[in-house]
């Protein structure tokens, strides 16, 4: 969050963390959902994808970033 501190203070963005198995957000809440190096720890990936789909606005983006060997 240090990286975005200026933008957060200026009201340009919000950075939020939540448990993907029980997202505490309303339907169609976000334009962008990201997941960096966390997919490995999701207990029920099908349920998680449904949860994420529900909170992304129509036309929104879900970005997953994973490190790979090779």
């Amino acid at each position: 969050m240090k990286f975005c501190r200026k933008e957060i203070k200026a009201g340009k963005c919000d950075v939020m963390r939540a448990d993907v198995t029980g997202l505490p957000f309303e339907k169609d809440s976000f334009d962008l959902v990201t997941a960096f190096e966390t997919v490995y720890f999701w207990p029920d990936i099908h349920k998680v994808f449904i949860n994420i789909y529900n909170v992304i606005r129509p036309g929104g983006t879900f970005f997953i970033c994973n490190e790979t060997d090779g």
Side-chain angles (χ1 to χ4, degrees), residues 20-23 39 41-54 62 64:
V20 293
T21 60
L23 295 172
V39 177
F41 308 107
W42 296 352
D44 182 348
I45 199 158
H46 184 257
K47 179 181 177 184
V48 169
F49 272 69
I50 290 169
N51 289 344
I52 292 167
Y53 176 81
N54 284 329
F62 178 33
I64 299 174

Side-chain angles (χ1 to χ4, degrees), residues 7-26:
E7 288 76 10
I8 293 168
K9 269 187 152 178
K12 293 181 179 179
C13 74
D14 289 321
V15 177
M16 300 175 190
R17 287 182 273 186
D19 182 341
V20 293
T21 60
L23 295 172
F25 308 111
E26 293 183 25

